[in-house]
């Protein structure tokens, strides 16, 4: 007997209801299984929230975290601190995320507060600055609107040329310790507890400078006098006098101005806590500042040198001698055994932590054309390289320096080729390990290079045998690797 249209529809609805009921039961069973069998079910909610807090602030990661299970989702949704980061958050998310953050302190990083959602959000910030912990913005008009106290603000970054208004933050920001900006007023009560400053225009005589532990004055910075006017030319003596008034300074990054007059100070400026120094030089003569500065112990020294223009003399070891003497005088730790060379433009000495294979940069010369690596090394007898890492940048392959250095036990070659000659002379007499990274030996000349490498290793067997060849990202076939194993133990790493 044929069903009528109404009867057929009723039967379909009945089966659909049963199917939905079964799916609902399956969903409940899955939730129970996840809750009862999950290896993370015994983790306290507070600890789970702390783990979530370590996630990257990218909202895509949060989508994954909140869809693992009901416990994870409830934990994430109910912890306001996990929803307090507004780092380039999609605008459509802002109202919901702001509601979930409840009263938690906010971390706000938005370059351009435009659009309906962002305008509304920044209106909220203006009315409730007591909720801001970190604030990074670049709109000058918004800066002028921040006239209420911000008692919990710790970090402020303002990328705008609009000066701070006299009533900025109502003059009260007791926890504000770090500022990155274009310029600062000579005096302001909201700067009273400043300890870290990255600025383009600043009065070096300001009272708030005395508490700094970190100071960065990048390219194009200009010193101001007590009235806020730019000082036309500040010599080395002026810089040293300013640094002398920052006794707690630990980190300094400074671009030394062009044409500054040499120092005539009778005694060097002593900064006992200064450990990390980065200096940019447009003129080699400005390295004279090292002759008038002393610290108790240096942890890291970095210098940047303007590359010479056509027709100018290349930097020689003598030009960086003041920096080397300063380092030798002030560096009191050891293990400077890792030497790294980037083409002809950068040389680094790292502190090597022995069996852990960890190395940290300590002495770095950047952006200079190196013509005499051996001459530079003679200026720093404290550095005795055991590991030599060399990376080719662009241009023709330069020869390997320091080939007669008898302390080098490991040689690391990156992005280079045609460096293994067939000469009878054996370079690096103490060499025991060779590492080759990011060198495509499977190209047209691959066979020739492999043959050359095998011969270079084999001829060392009688005087200085290579015990291990480590290959990383070299795109080699199993056949080629087996061929290399005829002369040396090979380790292939991804």
């Amino acid at each position: 007997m044929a069903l009528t249209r109404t009867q057929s529809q009723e039967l379909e609805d009945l089966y659909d209801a049963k199917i939905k009921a079964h799916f609902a039961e399956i969903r409940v069973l899955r939730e129970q299984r996840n809750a009862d069998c999950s290896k993370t079910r015994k983790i306290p909610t507070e600890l789970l929230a702390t783990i979530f807090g370590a996630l990257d602030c990218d909202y895509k990661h949060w989508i994954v975290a909140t869809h693992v299970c009901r416990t994870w989702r409830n934990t994430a949704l109910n912890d306001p601190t996990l929803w307090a980061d507004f780092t380039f958050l999609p605008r459509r998310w802002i109202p919901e995320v702001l509601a979930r953050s409840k009263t938690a302190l906010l971390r706000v990083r938005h370059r351009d507060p435009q659009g309906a959602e962002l305008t509304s959000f920044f209106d909220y910030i203006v009315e409730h600055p007591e909720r801001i912990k970190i604030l990074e913005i670049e709109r000058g008009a918004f800066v002028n609107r921040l006239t209420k106290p911000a008692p919990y603000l710790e970090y402020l970054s303002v990328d705008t040329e609009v000066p701070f208004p006299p009533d900025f933050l109502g003059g009260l920001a007791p926890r504000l310790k770090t500022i990155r900006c274009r310029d600062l007023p000579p005096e302001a009560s909201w700067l009273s507890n400043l300890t870290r400053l990255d600025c383009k225009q600043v009065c070096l005589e300001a009272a708030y400078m005395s508490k700094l532990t970190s100071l960065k004055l990048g390219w194009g910075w200009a010193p101001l006098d007590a009235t806020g006017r730019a000082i036309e030319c500040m010599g080395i003596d002026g810089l040293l006098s300013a640094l002398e008034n920052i006794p707690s300074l630990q980190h300094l990054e400074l671009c030394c101005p062009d044409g500054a007059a040499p120092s005539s100070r009778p005694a060097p400026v002593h900064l006992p806590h200064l450990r990390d120094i980065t200096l940019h030089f447009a003129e080699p003569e400005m390295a004279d500042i090292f002759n008038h500065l002393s610290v108790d112990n240096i942890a890291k020294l970095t210098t940047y040198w303007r590359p010479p223009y056509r027709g100018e003399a290349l930097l020689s070891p003598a030009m960086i001698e003041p920096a080397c003497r300063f380092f030798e005088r002030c560096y009191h730790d050891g293990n400077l055994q890792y030497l790294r060379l980037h083409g002809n433009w950068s040389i680094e000495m790292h502190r090597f932590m022995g069996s852990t294979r960890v190395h940290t940069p300590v002495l770095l010369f950047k952006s200079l054309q190196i013509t005499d690596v051996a001459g530079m090394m003679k200026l720093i007898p404290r550095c005795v390289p055991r590991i030599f890492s060399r990376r080719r940048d662009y241009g023709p392959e330069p020869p390997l320096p320091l080939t007669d250095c008898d302390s080098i036990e490991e040689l690391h070659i990156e992005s280079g080729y045609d460096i293994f000659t067939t000469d009878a002379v054996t370079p690096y007499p103490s060499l025991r390990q060779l590492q080759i990274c990011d060198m495509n030996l499977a190209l047209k000349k691959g066979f020739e290079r492999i043959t050359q490498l095998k011969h270079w290793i084999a001829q060392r067997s009688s005087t200085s045998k290579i015990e291990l060849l480590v290959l990383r990202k070299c795109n080699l076939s199993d056949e080629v690797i087996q061929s290399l194993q005829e002369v040396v133990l090979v380790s292939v790493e991804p």
Side-chain angles (χ1 to χ4, degrees):
M1 179 180 178
L3 296 175
T4 65
R5 182 177 182 82
T6 301
Q7 291 173 328
S8 177
Q9 185 62 46
E10 291 176 351
L11 191 59
E12 288 182 7
D13 293 342
L14 176 62
Y15 282 121
D16 287 341
K18 290 183 177 181
I19 291 172
K20 290 180 180 179
H22 281 297
F23 276 123
E25 185 178 356
I26 291 172
R27 185 177 67 253
V28 170
L29 289 173
R30 283 177 174 172
E31 291 175 356
Q32 291 177 346
R33 181 197 64 183
N34 291 340
D36 296 337
C37 303
S38 172
K39 296 180 180 179
T40 63
R41 70 186 185 279
K42 294 183 179 180
I43 298 179
T45 302
E46 296 78 7
L47 179 57
L48 193 58
T50 301
I51 295 173
F52 289 164
L55 282 176
D56 192 291
C57 60
D58 190 334
Y59 67 93
K60 295 178 182 178
H61 294 175
W62 277 114
I63 293 177
V64 175
T66 57
H67 283 73
V68 172
C69 64
R70 184 177 296 276
T71 300
W72 282 35
R73 182 174 181 82
N74 290 338
T75 300
L77 295 182
N78 293 328
D79 189 338
T81 61
L82 300 180
W83 302 95
D85 198 324
F86 291 78
T87 303
F88 307 112
L89 194 69
R91 297 181 180 184
R92 67 183 184 277
W93 283 47
I94 289 178
E96 179 63 25
V97 174
L98 183 60
R100 292 180 182 179
S101 67
K102 297 180 182 178
T103 60
L105 295 178
L106 305 180
R107 302 178 294 276
V108 181
R109 297 179 178 90
H110 270 282
R111 296 301 183 194
D112 192 3
Q114 293 181 343
E117 297 89 349
L118 278 175
T119 299
S120 176
F121 175 65
F122 277 88
D123 287 343
Y124 177 85
I125 296 301
V126 168
E127 292 301 319
H128 301 279
E130 73 281 357
R131 289 199 59 191
I132 301 300
K133 180 178 181 180
I134 296 174
L135 180 61
E136 294 186 24
I137 52 175
E138 68 175 12
R139 300 288 290 185
F142 176 70
V143 171
N144 292 331
R145 297 175 61 195
L146 293 172
T147 58
K148 292 184 178 181
Y152 298 103
L153 181 64
E154 297 179 2
Y155 176 89
L156 175 66
S157 175
V158 181
D159 189 14
T160 177
E161 296 181 357
V162 176
F164 291 101
D167 57 348
F168 184 66
L169 299 180
L172 184 62
R175 289 179 171 82
L176 182 56
K177 295 183 179 296
T178 304
I179 293 181
R180 177 184 173 275
C181 63
R182 297 288 183 91
D183 63 89
L184 281 180
E187 297 296 338
S189 58
W190 53 276
L191 295 170
S192 59
N193 293 313
L194 188 64
T195 60
R196 302 176 63 87
L197 176 62
D198 177 355
C199 193
K200 287 291 186 182
Q201 298 186 65
V202 62
C203 176
L204 296 176
E205 299 177 358
Y208 54 75
M209 298 289 291
S210 63
K211 296 182 181 180
L212 292 184
T213 60
S214 176
L215 174 63
K216 180 179 179 180
L217 301 173
W219 286 113
W221 76 277
L224 306 177
D225 60 21
T227 65
R229 295 182 179 179
I231 299 175
E232 291 298 328
C233 183
M234 173 169 283
I236 291 180
D237 279 345
L239 286 173
L240 293 171
S241 296
L243 295 176
E244 195 171 23
N245 293 324
I246 314 177
S248 300
L249 196 62
Q250 300 174 17
H251 170 83
L252 172 66
E253 182 169 351
L254 173 68
C255 291
C256 296
D258 299 349
S263 176
S264 59
R265 296 178 64 96
V269 172
H270 182 219
L271 296 174
H273 304 289
L274 189 57
R275 296 288 185 271
D276 187 348
I277 302 176
T278 299
L279 295 181
H280 300 251
F281 298 107
E283 299 176 355
E285 294 78 10
M286 286 301 297
D288 181 55
I289 194 173
F290 285 115
N291 294 324
H292 307 279
L293 186 65
S294 72
V295 301
D296 287 351
N297 189 15
I298 195 75
K300 184 178 179 181
L301 175 62
T302 306
T303 61
Y304 289 84
W305 306 78
R306 177 182 62 79
Y309 296 122
R310 291 183 179 179
E312 292 184 333
L314 298 177
L315 287 172
S316 65
M319 294 180 180
I320 63 170
E321 188 173 356
C324 294
R325 285 202 309 266
F326 171 81
F327 182 81
E328 280 291 303
R329 185 172 65 249
C330 301
Y331 181 74
H332 305 308
D333 297 322
N335 297 324
L336 281 178
Q337 299 178 339
Y338 186 105
L339 173 64
R340 183 169 176 81
L341 187 67
H342 294 260
N344 281 1
W345 296 98
S346 173
I347 186 170
E348 304 176 1
M349 270 66 81
H350 293 215
R351 189 167 183 263
F352 188 67
M353 304 305 292
S355 59
T356 62
R357 310 297 297 176
V358 175
H359 53 90
T360 57
V362 174
L363 180 61
L364 302 88
F365 296 99
K366 300 280 191 176
S367 300
L368 74 162
Q369 277 199 339
I370 303 169
T371 58
D372 185 5
V373 176
M376 292 182 63
M377 297 301 297
K378 290 179 181 179
L379 295 175
I380 320 166
R382 192 182 302 267
C383 178
V384 181
R386 188 168 71 83
I387 299 177
F388 179 30
S389 173
R390 183 189 166 284
R391 178 180 178 85
R392 186 191 72 161
D393 292 328
Y394 297 100
E397 183 76 10
L400 280 171
L402 304 177
T403 53
D404 60 345
C405 182
D406 61 2
S407 65
I408 295 177
E409 301 173 5
E410 293 185 24
L411 178 61
H412 301 181
I413 307 295
E414 300 179 43
S415 300
Y417 45 81
D418 297 340
I419 57 175
F420 304 105
T421 65
T422 57
D423 296 338
V425 178
T426 303
Y428 305 105
S430 300
L431 193 63
R432 293 294 179 267
Q433 184 179 134
L434 175 63
Q435 293 190 18
I436 301 177
C437 178
D438 198 20
M439 191 185 301
N440 196 336
L441 298 174
L443 297 176
K444 185 177 181 180
K445 294 184 177 181
F447 178 78
E448 178 183 345
R449 292 170 184 156
I450 291 296
T451 302
Q452 190 181 52
L453 175 60
K454 286 182 61 177
H455 182 76
W456 191 85
I457 294 175
Q459 72 175 354
R460 300 179 60 94
S461 298
S462 59
T463 55
S464 177
K465 183 178 180 180
I466 301 294
E467 298 174 352
L468 178 63
L469 172 63
V470 180
L471 301 173
R472 294 193 184 97
K473 303 178 184 178
C474 288
N475 192 24
L476 295 178
S477 65
D478 293 340
E479 182 180 358
V480 171
I481 294 173
Q482 290 177 1
S483 175
L484 288 170
Q485 286 178 334
E486 296 173 0
V487 295
V488 68
L489 177 65
V490 179
S491 173
V492 180
E493 299 180 4

